[in-house]
Amino acid sequence: MKFGHFSDTAREYVITTPRTPLPWINYLGSEAFFSLVSHTAGGYSFYKDAKLRRITRYRYNNVPADSNGRYYYIKDGDTVWNPGWQPTQTELDSYECRHGLGYSIITGKKNSLTAKLELFVPVGDNCEIDRLVLTNESDAPKSFTVFSYLEFCLWNAVDDSTNFQRNFSTGEVEVEGSTIYHKTEYRERRNHYALFTVNTPIDGFDTSRDAFLGAWRSNANPEVVENGRCTNSVAHGWAPVGVHQVNVTLQPGKSRSLIFVLGYIENPEDEKWAAPGVINKTRAQAMAARYATDAQVDAALARLHDHWNNLLSTYSVKSSDEKLDRMVNTWNQYQCMVTFNMSRSASYYESGTGRGMGFRDSCQDLLGFVHLIPARARERILDIAATQFPDGSAYHQYQPLTKKGNMDIGSGFNDDPLWLIAAVYAYLGETGDYSILDEPVDFDNDHSLAQPLLEHLRRSFGYLRTHKGPHGLPLIGRADWNDCLNLNCFSKEPGESFQTTGPSEGPVAESVFIAGMYVKYGNQFAEILDSTGHTDEAAAVRAEVAEMEHTVLTAGWDGKWFRRAYDAFGHVIGGEECEEGKIFIEPQGMCVMAGIGVDTGEAVTALQSVKDKLDTKYGIVLLQPAYTKYHLELGEISSYPPGYKENAGIFCHNNPWVSCAETVVGHGDRAFEIYKKTCPAYIEDISEIHRTEPYVYSQMVAGRDAATFGEAKNSWLTGTAAWTFVDVSQYILGIQPTLAGLKIDPCIPHEMDGFTLRRVWRGATYEIVVENPDHLEKGVKAMTVDGKPVSGNILSPVPAGSTVEVKVVMG
Amino acid sequence: MKFGHFSDTAREYVITTPRTPLPWINYLGSEAFFSLVSHTAGGYSFYKDAKLRRITRYRYNNVPADSNGRYYYIKDGDTVWNPGWQPTQTELDSYECRHGLGYSIITGKKNSLTAKLELFVPVGDNCEIDRLVLTNESDAPKSFTVFSYLEFCLWNAVDDSTNFQRNFSTGEVEVEGSTIYHKTEYRERRNHYALFTVNTPIDGFDTSRDAFLGAWRSNANPEVVENGRCTNSVAHGWAPVGVHQVNVTLQPGKSRSLIFVLGYIENPEDEKWAAPGVINKTRAQAMAARYATDAQVDAALARLHDHWNNLLSTYSVKSSDEKLDRMVNTWNQYQCMVTFNMSRSASYYESGTGRGMGFRDSCQDLLGFVHLIPARARERILDIAATQFPDGSAYHQYQPLTKKGNMDIGSGFNDDPLWLIAAVYAYLGETGDYSILDEPVDFDNDHSLAQPLLEHLRRSFGYLRTHKGPHGLPLIGRADWNDCLNLNCFSKEPGESFQTTGPSEGPVAESVFIAGMYVKYGNQFAEILDSTGHTDEAAAVRAEVAEMEHTVLTAGWDGKWFRRAYDAFGHVIGGEECEEGKIFIEPQGMCVMAGIGVDTGEAVTALQSVKDKLDTKYGIVLLQPAYTKYHLELGEISSYPPGYKENAGIFCHNNPWVSCAETVVGHGDRAFEIYKKTCPAYIEDISEIHRTEPYVYSQMVAGRDAATFGEAKNSWLTGTAAWTFVDVSQYILGIQPTLAGLKIDPCIPHEMDGFTLRRVWRGATYEIVVENPDHLEKGVKAMTVDGKPVSGNILSPVPAGSTVEVKVVMG
């Protein structure tokens, strides 16, 4: 069952009923000012940090779902309605929400009045524009009243939702003309305020929530709207809100637009005040003036469209499969960009108040994003690397505002250092910018310890080389990629962190998954060393890698699949001898991606075991059999009910690893089958089961052990986006940026005739045609460049601005 | 304007409309299981710790206000209503809420059906009983359906409201018979679950919120209720709820009661399971069986009434002023008990998720509570003292579950140590139990450092003696009683703690307020030393005190009032020379209570200045003039808008200090005038302005600089309760437990003819008659005990169980 459809030409998902299974959202903004907007205009805005600079108030896990946002009420006679249905839920004569790239358009119609609400954050500005276009579609004049409504957050989202004994006394506003200024705490240490304005004289305003809603009422039935007139209330404490009243009369067939701007302003210390107690509004007025006319808004929208079209032109495919094309060309890349911007901070499942940026998360997100804006990837790499410890280990998380490592969680996630190599290799492959390796980068944010980035990579690899367990496998520390596999922690008390309660070092638990990474990213490190003239060191690294490969195929091999780990007592995790958790997905994908057992047969055997034991119609589950009880020696993984999350859920992030791995052994059919199972466009038809947005990936789909098999959760902010894009763009379609050049090595379903693809790489545009006349799954038998046959399948860089015609014939 | 009235005979406040200005709440429970219940049945329950063992989910600062609780829906034909009006807000034919001592009774009537909901927590048990009595008042049979509804919290209230990416996958329940078991995380580290049951077979159940409410609906219009039948849903993740369906048919004039029990159960590790995955329900079944009949519930209610009547019989007055009597005999003491139980953790303004117990808060709360259950006061004193540091300073807060000091906030609130002396003195005066002084008590929870409690007092006093500033006044540290006066902190960044950003020691800022405490509690400490044979040490302490008294009257005296402090630069705070904040309330009350300037005239002068400069019709404001801008050198106090909170609000806690002080100088009229201004019973008539509950104190009333002058905030959990009870019971009515005996020294309005009072003290009952034939304000000219004249006005202890008739004639 569907609740909308894709519009590939407009690059929009069009939702045709407000009654979706869950709120289906979009992200506005891509630099500093961000808004989350649901298909019913719910959501909130923030500046840079969703915890510390929350601009509007949102209530997670509320009833009804998604019950705060930027709302526009229309009182037309006795009927009160919203173009987005919420919060009045007045039935509409027609409804549509179009989520596009950085904008959303929500259109409602009631009693021959159409209200079209366009929402976006302009490129390069710190505000959200809400343009409401009202059209009288009847054949008589219409008079009605529009009320805007949003609720200000008192900036710090955590304090705002807990410290009422203070906060109910601090709220302050100013109103001047059509602009409402939210200035809570500006009188003391804040240098910022918010404004909410509209480009027309207003017929009234309210800034006190109590005055607008009325006692014991909600935003579903505000008293002011019912009465048809604002009270011009000025908030003193309690809950400041922004409400404008605009009375409108429209002749038949006529339209009027109202442009609302929600903005964030910072003032320098010496420019804070216009008069004692009166804020300096100069910058706010200038912002309002930038969006005072439809022409200005149209121009800003055009800039936004250009911005996204430019970004996404870096990689685009044309195949016979429209679902593949729309995911690759639009939605997967779009989600990669959002994930990179947000890390795991603010979604409808991440409250935006917790942890900062993840070391591992950001490195992985970068794999899916580096081709879009390499300069931001460069910056992020240097930020991340600066939180690394001198011994090569790393803070697991860091704060985006301070860029300092997060001491609460600390270090000891032993996969982290290797992800830095992965990120840097991806950046080098994309850009060829070796200068990044010479950048001096702090250790532990201590500038006196700064070393070139290459030295950071050396210590990353070195940390793992010097932290091995009894079987010669890497020590797992607090956890590896699977944060819930806590082999050195033995937590018995509720509320304790599963990750940080135990020691990060000491016990001997080992990870086969990290061993796979060690081989894969060790080889990438060697390649970087070779490319920078460190040939001897490269050889030494490769020797280390070869030794680890052997260890994986002995201590890490269970007979039919790769083991997952050894626990603190030396017992096997993820082996036939285990009662529960006999086989895990992660090492199968990673070890085969690393090339382990490809020549000797274990790779194919392992992937067959995945298919036999872990595959389901909705994706590959993380492990089998699910843990039915809490295992003290395993930690959080066994804390989930069977079939959910890491306990045998379909944890989407690791599915592309297996898909990638299948391409490594040449199984294009199977790789694509796996790709499709979790790919939003291919499962749009089961939205009533899947429930989350059908245009982006979710973190998790309930596994076959769960009562709600197939139900997805935690959409948008997941490493799935990046890894799936790596899978489909590099492993399946096979366009691989490497240090040596752009490698073309498709591994596709045999029935596919081929595809054409445009790839902008190092400033040049490659127009690539792949033909598959023999209907193979893998293999390149011939390649021409600008019509000339070349040997091999690697394209060397050409001058920026060039266009290169590439023809590839599989065989 | 009133929204209800007191019932003195029933000791209840009777609310007669659901549309009160704010939710008006009550507390159920007094040991381990607590519930907050509003007059519309909103609120939540927890076991011991409102953060870590939250049983039901509540949403602070939501719209509509107070929109979650334990709700009972009645579907009678097409009409759906709740006895407490919320959440359907269906207009009722009649409504009443009676908040009593540890119970509430909410009665609604609609279409000739009366539903009476009695809510209480039984003494000695870990559950809330909700008895719903339904009566058909029509002359025809009635068939209707009852649905219960509550939403479970996933135990940790902070995690529950932030960690959705995990929590939406963890919810688990079991249903057996009429009982719904909430067992989220019981499968792993929790040893506890909740049950929600009803004493009758049910016609259906729901445990999935989505199933009960329906998509996009709220608890105002659940789909299941609208349809009239449950779906028997079993929650897997998302939001587990408890819903019972009971179909009822009542003949005319007949009643039926349904007894719902919401309980908390802990199982020992080896008794957790009845079968794999099936919880052991033995204890839950036993609990349900304890409240299966009306007779059992009636008996439990009777025990509850006895419990409270016994408690409150310790102190009761009979005067010609019914408002005085009802506050002293019932509501003030009731609030003291609640405040002692909750500290500042869980109210409708304190989210229950923050800080633990306050060192200073608990000591002060104890002053108002020690006469009720001295044994719990003893226990609390020993807990508190064990968090003291060896140098006499103290953790400012500690965690109630672990009883460990809270490192986040640390120490350095330099009034803290002296409050320990105040608490111990109050305990000794009440009980004469000197054995507490010999109890070995840890320092910093380190048992190896344990010393007798007397040594803790010695170090308390010693810490202040050795931490004085340039003027010889005590160093203030992070802050004194006024947490917002941060003289050593210079915070410029939003979100920084005003208290902990700066150093706790180092700078030289001094507090005149602490100097007042030093004198008052130094004298009490000397009295304790004398009473335990440490005569020389007592004399030394008194010499120290005398020196400080001198210092206060020189460096601390501004000419017409006591100064507040010296800042880190040696500038006066609270003096005529200041531009803003010329005079503060706190040192005037504390210094005069300490006796400073009483003989030399400064005391009367200072109190006159308070009247002239700080008094308003709603109470005495904290300071004048209000700070109009942020003062970096003062901190949080200047962060509030003028008239709110510590910035010139009427901070109720310190009003009784001035009232006490007025009695010290013999001003009974003025003392009582001050008492009445903030006393709930006397301002019940302006509930539309005051807004908070008219039966308990609030922390703050907006001052005259505020736009909402007279509006109260932060009701229930405030030291105001304890200090006002000290004021009215010891200073105004004048019954003072001292080490020497029970002193009788009233200071009352001159028009009062006298009063009679029963005081249970050290096991004996004193029936006291005070006569004021000459209409004086203070002074005792004659006293008889059991009819025999005695000299002085101090009653010596008599054997427990005795009754003593005391007659006092003022003159």
Side-chain angles (χ1 to χ4, degrees), chain A residues 181 188 228 289 703 713 725:
Chain A
Y181 297 90
E188 37 130 331
K713 289 193 183 112
F725 192 70

Side-chain angles (χ1 to χ4, degrees), chain A residues 583-597:
Chain A
I583 173 170
F584 282 65
I585 189 172
E586 306 103 306
Q588 322 311 326
M590 185 55 73
C591 291
V592 177
M593 275 200 289
I596 302 172

Side-chain angles (χ1 to χ4, degrees), chain A residues 218-295:
Chain A
S218 80
N219 49 25
N221 58 348
E223 195 166 60
V224 154
V225 178
E226 196 172 294
N227 294 340
R229 56 183 170 280
C230 279
T231 71
N232 295 354
S233 59
V234 175
H236 298 279
W238 298 107
V241 299
V243 174
H244 304 92
Q245 175 185 344
V246 181
N247 301 336
V248 180
T249 299
L250 286 178
Q251 296 305 311
K254 293 296 179 188
S255 291
R256 176 170 176 194
S257 83
L258 300 173
I259 302 167
F260 294 87
V261 178
L262 170 68
Y264 171 91
I265 299 291
E266 284 184 359
N267 276 335
E269 183 65 30
D270 57 356
E271 295 177 30
K272 278 184 78 168
W273 302 101
V278 179
I279 62 175
N280 180 346
K281 304 179 178 68
T282 310
R283 286 175 176 76
Q285 288 156 350
M287 177 182 280
R290 287 197 288 278
Y291 309 100
T293 67
D294 280 316

Side-chain angles (χ1 to χ4, degrees), chain A residues 20-299:
Chain A
T20 51
L22 291 167
W24 285 0
I25 75 164
N26 194 11
Y27 284 85
L28 314 180
S30 54
E31 287 146 302
F33 189 106
F34 293 99
S35 293
L36 285 70
V37 59
S38 73
H39 69 295
T40 62
Y44 61 92
S45 302
F46 62 94
Y47 175 77
K48 283 190 179 174
D49 186 313
K51 176 180 171 184
L52 299 175
R53 295 290 185 277
R54 187 78 65 101
I55 295 168
T56 51
R57 185 177 282 155
Y58 189 73
R59 297 179 178 89
Y60 279 85
N61 197 11
N62 205 352
V63 292
D66 186 32
S67 56
N68 218 5
R70 72 290 280 159
Y71 291 136
Y72 297 90
Y73 298 85
I74 294 166
K75 180 173 166 64
D76 180 9
D78 288 338
T79 304
V80 175
W81 60 283
N82 306 92
W85 184 62
Q86 284 265 54
T88 59
Q89 299 189 359
T90 300
E91 289 302 327
L92 300 174
D93 296 336
S94 76
Y95 162 90
E96 182 187 83
C97 169
R98 306 178 79 93
H99 282 322
L101 302 177
Y103 68 89
S104 292
I105 304 171
I106 298 171
T107 308
K109 182 174 175 182
K110 182 80 181 176
N111 297 340
S112 301
L113 180 63
T114 296
K116 177 182 171 191
L117 178 64
E118 297 169 283
L119 308 103
F120 71 102
V121 170
V123 175
D125 215 342
N126 293 324
C127 57
E128 176 185 315
I129 309 295
D130 296 353
R131 175 161 63 176
L132 182 67
V133 181
L134 301 147
T135 304
N136 179 1
E137 316 229 15
S138 77
D139 48 13
K142 250 189 186 297
S143 291
F144 54 92
T145 308
V146 174
F147 296 90
S148 66
Y149 175 70
L150 53 78
E151 190 177 348
F152 293 107
C153 181
L154 306 189
W155 302 114
N156 180 318
V158 171
D159 195 72
D160 181 72
S161 63
T162 52
N163 190 10
F164 308 109
Q165 71 89 23
R166 172 179 164 88
N167 295 340
F168 284 165
S169 286
T170 56
E172 289 188 294
V173 297
E174 285 182 34
V175 182
E176 191 179 287
S178 297
T179 308
I180 293 160
Y181 297 90
H182 175 232
K183 62 169 190 176
T184 297
E185 293 190 348
Y186 187 81
R187 70 187 312 282
E188 37 130 331
R189 298 168 298 173
R190 295 195 181 275
N191 65 348
H192 44 270
Y193 60 78
L195 67 137
F196 186 37
T197 191
V198 60
N199 68 333
T200 186
I202 55 176
D203 297 291
F205 66 86
D206 271 295
T207 67
S208 154
R209 188 181 74 198
D210 289 348
F212 177 71
L213 299 182
W216 301 100
R217 288 176 178 244
S218 80
N219 49 25
N221 58 348
E223 195 166 60
V224 154
V225 178
E226 196 172 294
N227 294 340
R229 56 183 170 280
C230 279
T231 71
N232 295 354
S233 59
V234 175
H236 298 279
W238 298 107
V241 299
V243 174
H244 304 92
Q245 175 185 344
V246 181
N247 301 336
V248 180
T249 299
L250 286 178
Q251 296 305 311
K254 293 296 179 188
S255 291
R256 176 170 176 194
S257 83
L258 300 173
I259 302 167
F260 294 87
V261 178
L262 170 68
Y264 171 91
I265 299 291
E266 284 184 359
N267 276 335
E269 183 65 30
D270 57 356
E271 295 177 30
K272 278 184 78 168
W273 302 101
V278 179
I279 62 175
N280 180 346
K281 304 179 178 68
T282 310
R283 286 175 176 76
Q285 288 156 350
M287 177 182 280
R290 287 197 288 278
Y291 309 100
T293 67
D294 280 316
Q296 290 173 310
V297 171
D298 288 339

Side-chain angles (χ1 to χ4, degrees), chain B residues 5-39:
Chain B
H5 55 83
F6 287 96
S7 166
D8 291 329
T9 47
R11 293 182 148 177
E12 292 169 343
Y13 193 81
V14 185
I15 300 164
T16 51
T17 170
R19 297 175 187 277
T20 50
L22 291 167
W24 285 1
I25 76 162
N26 194 13
Y27 284 85
L28 314 180
S30 53
E31 287 147 303
F33 189 106
F34 293 99
S35 293
L36 284 68
V37 59
S38 74
H39 69 294

